[in-house]
Amino acid sequence: MRRRTGATAPLALRDAGPPPSGCPSGNVLPGRGDTCSAGLGPDTVDADVPAAVGRMLVGVLGEQVARAAEIEGTFARDVAARVARFTLEGGKRTRSQFLWWGLRSCEDRPGACAVEPALRVSAAVELIQTCALIHDDAMDRSPLRRGRPAVHAEFAGQYATPGTAEAAGRFGTSAAVLAGDLALAWADDTVAGAELGAETGPRVRHIWRAMRMEMVAGQYLDLYGQIAGSRSASLAVRTAYLKSARYSVERPLALGAALAGADEETTRALCAAGRCAGVAFQFQDDLMGVFGDQDRTGKPSGGDIREGKLTYLLAVGRARAMERGDRAALALLDRCVGDSELDAADLERVRAVLVGTGALDLVELRIHRLVTRSIRHLAAAALEPSAAARLRSLFASVAGLRTATVRGPAPDGVSSPVPAGVAEGGSTV
């Protein structure tokens, strides 16, 4: 980020690239006397939520890396500054947008006192996302993230010398675990530093604690599905629910509602909408992992296939092949799923099976149905109209839809991937 006039830039921000989207040179917003890190009015945040959260992150991360430098220079340079750069340089701030528009949908004109804590908690959410991505890439041995080397790969490359590739790889994975842990610690620090009221504070902290544990639980189920060789569609949905739906959509919305002091009925409606949209989000991510363009996703195509991940898409593909008695398709899936050396030709054959069995069409249809349900839940709540419209657009966006207009009901025999309890606001899958 840009240096402040007359001050030395914190280590995390040196050579970290351009400011976040929408953040002008220096630290003053055009036409206002507010700095990039504080003092923003709600209308300014409305205009560009990612930029506002980015400004907050600049201040939060600058302070954290400065503290790290006081502890140990190599650690600050290699780990703390890398975590800061990773957090500042990428991502769409989707979770922050859900938090902000959740708040705005419950409180039409939040005062200045509500904006600062909302941005701080949003920054914390971005840091917990940093933790999740760094750990996820290390566990999956994914070499790329956002079109660049993943953090564990960066660490390995930094210290690799001829003949030390294996040792450097182990070092990179271990260092990435520490980097993810540091991001999580910073996230907790950021929430702890937010000025929350006597009623708001306990609500926010309760949601925050639940979100952290749910994220870890979902990541563990992701690993468990692989080692157990599970082919269960219900486990795939449960994993999607915890790994993505909760912490990516539902919990950020709940945090926004808590910060706005929303009533229980409104909060329930927002959370129900978030659960449905969040599962759609993960299903769309599964589709992109198999059929997506690496230039668009920033990750190698087919990674889930090579890792042998239990995704809903693969579970449906197997189930459809079994229903049809398609032994050739089942044999291909058995041979290819989990093959870390899978070549492009076999990946294309797996894609053909998922298309030919109808799995791709079915998952796409269920994504549409889930978004439809999420929008119905929003419509049932007394929300500020323009903010609710933003949420509808976000739901469509994360589900890979151009608009929030979706297809009609599924054909006979096609059930919802999310049991009624969740779709209607329950807490289990």
Side-chain angles (χ1 to χ4, degrees):
M1 307 308 297
R2 304 296 179 92
R3 301 186 181 187
R4 295 188 177 187
T5 304
T8 302
L11 178 62
L13 310 184
R14 296 176 192 167
D15 305 318
S21 171
C23 188
S25 300
N27 70 330
V28 179
L29 294 173
R32 302 177 71 94
D34 306 326
T35 65
C36 277
S37 62
L40 301 183
D43 292 340
T44 302
V45 181
D46 285 350
D48 194 339
V49 178
V53 176
R55 293 176 174 93
M56 177 61 71
L57 280 166
V58 168
V60 167
L61 293 171
E63 292 173 1
Q64 291 288 11
V65 177
R67 293 190 186 103
E70 293 172 357
I71 294 171
E72 211 289 317
T74 301
F75 161 71
R77 181 195 67 220
D78 284 6
V79 183
R82 181 170 270 119
V83 169
R85 285 194 299 270
F86 182 91
T87 305
L88 289 170
E89 289 178 353
K92 299 177 181 178
R93 311 286 183 232
T94 301
R95 291 155 188 82
S96 295
Q97 292 185 65
F98 279 122
L99 189 154
W100 178 256
W101 292 112
L103 180 150
R104 286 293 251 157
S105 69
C106 298
E107 185 176 352
D108 182 22
R109 300 294 300 175
C113 60
V115 174
E116 181 78 8
L119 292 178
R120 285 194 68 86
V121 177
S122 293
V125 169
E126 295 300 328
L127 281 164
I128 206 171
Q129 169 71 346
T130 291
C131 165
L133 293 181
I134 292 175
H135 282 172
D136 191 57
D137 288 342
M139 286 184 275
D140 291 347
R141 295 171 292 175
S142 179
L144 295 176
R145 170 65 64 178
R146 298 167 178 164
R148 300 178 55 180
V151 168
H152 68 96
E154 277 190 349
F155 273 119
Q158 183 177 358
Y159 289 104
T161 58
T164 66
E166 184 176 348
R170 290 196 301 270
F171 163 78
T173 299
S174 299
V177 170
L178 296 177
D181 290 348
L182 184 64
L184 182 57
W186 286 355
D188 281 344
D189 290 346
T190 305
V191 171
E195 295 184 3
L196 304 172
E199 294 184 5
T200 302
R203 288 182 65 183
V204 167
R205 287 189 286 272
H206 173 76
I207 297 165
W208 181 259
R209 287 192 294 267
M211 182 176 70
R212 287 181 314 181
M213 191 174 298
E214 289 158 358
M215 180 191 72
V216 176
Q219 188 63 59
Y220 178 73
L221 287 184
D222 196 30
L223 295 172
Y224 168 78
Q226 295 176 57
I227 195 64
S230 176
R231 299 175 181 179
S232 166
S234 62
L235 179 60
V237 173
R238 182 67 175 169
T239 303
Y241 174 63
L242 288 172
K243 185 179 178 182
S244 186
R246 280 271 181 165
Y247 109 91
S248 294
V249 185
E250 179 185 351
R251 292 305 192 185
L253 285 172
L255 287 168
L259 288 162
D263 60 60
E264 185 176 345
E265 183 178 356
T266 301
T267 301
R268 273 201 307 267
L270 278 173
C271 288
R275 276 191 288 277
C276 294
V279 175
F281 183 11
Q282 184 59 51
F283 285 178
Q284 174 64 17
D285 191 63
D286 293 343
L287 293 183
M288 294 300 292
V290 177
F291 294 97
D293 182 352
Q294 179 175 312
D295 291 338
R296 177 183 172 188
T297 65
K299 299 185 293 182
S301 184
D304 289 352
I305 303 297
R306 295 184 176 92
E307 286 298 316
K309 285 197 174 189
L310 173 63
T311 65
Y312 187 66
L313 174 65
L314 278 175
V316 170
R318 285 186 187 278
R320 283 300 182 94
M322 291 180 67
E323 290 170 4
R324 299 179 178 190
D326 191 339
R327 295 181 179 179
L330 289 169
L332 180 75
L333 293 176
D334 287 342
R335 177 173 65 84
C336 294
V337 176
D339 179 2
S340 61
E341 303 299 323
L342 190 71
D343 61 24
D346 274 340
L347 176 59
E348 194 57 41
R349 293 184 182 98
V350 172
R351 289 170 175 156
V353 165
L354 296 174
V355 172
T357 59
L360 173 61
D361 284 343
L362 180 57
V363 174
E364 286 183 334
L365 179 59
R366 289 182 171 174
I367 289 171
H368 281 257
R369 285 170 56 85
L370 284 163
V371 175
T372 298
R373 288 186 175 183
S374 70
I375 293 169
R376 287 173 182 165
H377 284 300
L378 285 184
L383 303 177
E384 195 283 320
S386 62
R390 294 290 192 115
L391 288 177
R392 289 195 297 271
S393 295
L394 279 172
F395 288 163
S397 176
V398 299
L401 309 180
R402 291 185 180 180
T403 70
T405 302
V406 297
R407 302 183 204 176
D412 292 342
V414 177
S415 60
S416 168
V418 181
V422 171
E424 299 307 322
S427 60
T428 60
V429 173

